Amino acid sequence: WSPPDFTDPERGSIWIIGIGNGPFWLNGKGVNNRKKNQPTSVFASLFRQLKQRTPRDLDTVVHTAHRQAFAKIDCLDCAQCCKTTGPIWIDKDVERVAKRLRMKAVDFFKTYLRVDEDGDTVLQQVPCAFLAADNACTIYDDRPKACREFPHTDRPKQAQILELTERNAAVCPAVAHIAEKLESVYRRLDPPAR
């Protein structure tokens, strides 16, 4: 699955069509601006509900849906995360990747990275410079921690990262699948209409 993208002539934005519940809107400048310009999510009410009243079995439901999603979806068919978002780099990431590329860390930083308005170290541009034409990562074994852990839906304490999961659903079809599963499971939490 690979979502088509369209440029909005007014905003120059990218529309990413999601599975089942699209479209999702992302700022055309990429997710390096994610803290200022949150994507509009069709799952907004679901995540708002989950934040207000977190189910005890949230981790179990998310982890089960994670396994189901990644049994169906091959990241190499999509790579939207690498095309539209940039990871936050920590010092160990910079040192590891610079060593792999046989560069000094300071030269690697000057070539590929920048500090954003929030003080985070991020890519200078997206798509990622290390994304190959076949959607493979050219530094896969040494990729940043944020890339290794993306989309973070297999970690414990999912309630702590609901906002991140909502944003990732706009980028990653596997997370959109997980959000759809959450919606089907937790719709029962909605109070009955009168």
Side-chain angles (χ1 to χ4, degrees), residues 10-126:
E10 243 179 66
R11 297 185 195 117
S13 303
I14 298 173
W15 287 89
I16 299 177
I17 308 302
I19 58 174
N21 287 318
F24 302 103
W25 179 77
L26 289 177
N27 180 301
K29 296 177 183 172
V31 177
N32 282 341
N33 291 335
R34 69 195 170 283
K35 293 173 186 165
K36 283 186 174 179
N37 302 307
Q38 299 293 326
T40 300
S41 167
V42 296
F43 300 112
S45 66
L46 167 70
F47 283 99
R48 188 172 38 256
Q49 170 188 321
L50 291 174
K51 287 177 220 168
Q52 291 170 353
R53 189 172 162 193
T54 304
R56 290 179 188 244
D57 64 345
L58 181 64
D59 280 3
T60 302
V61 173
V62 171
H63 296 161
T64 301
H66 172 94
R67 286 188 297 278
Q68 292 169 346
F70 284 99
K72 294 178 187 175
I73 296 170
D74 181 355
C75 293
L76 293 176
D77 290 337
C78 177
Q80 279 302 106
C81 53
C82 304
K83 293 173 184 174
T84 63
T85 67
I88 294 175
W89 291 65
I90 59 173
D91 291 343
K92 287 182 181 182
D93 297 331
V94 175
E95 293 164 11
R96 186 177 55 255
V97 176
K99 182 178 178 182
R100 177 189 178 111
L101 298 176
R102 297 190 172 121
M103 295 176 77
K104 292 181 180 176
V106 68
D107 294 331
F108 176 82
F109 189 96
K110 287 179 186 176
T111 304
Y112 296 104
L113 305 174
R114 67 181 176 85
V115 176
D116 71 8
E117 60 278 356
D118 297 312
D120 294 326
T121 301
V122 297
L123 293 169
Q124 287 183 9
Q125 63 185 30
V126 289

Side-chain angles (χ1 to χ4, degrees), residues 20-21 42-47 49-50 61 176-190:
N21 287 318
V42 296
F43 300 112
S45 66
L46 167 70
F47 283 99
Q49 170 188 321
L50 291 174
V61 173
H177 172 84
I178 292 165
E180 288 174 346
K181 180 66 174 178
L182 289 172
E183 198 163 51
S184 71
V185 169
Y186 295 123
R187 234 352 107 193
R188 69 178 191 262
L189 295 179
D190 282 346

Side-chain angles (χ1 to χ4, degrees), residues 129-157:
F130 305 108
L131 180 64
D134 64 354
N135 289 340
C137 176
T138 60
I139 58 167
Y140 187 81
D141 291 336
D142 296 305
R143 69 197 184 280
K145 181 178 186 244
C147 296
R148 290 174 190 274
E149 295 176 355
F150 188 85
H152 314 286
T153 49
D154 58 348
R155 64 163 266 192
K157 300 182 180 175

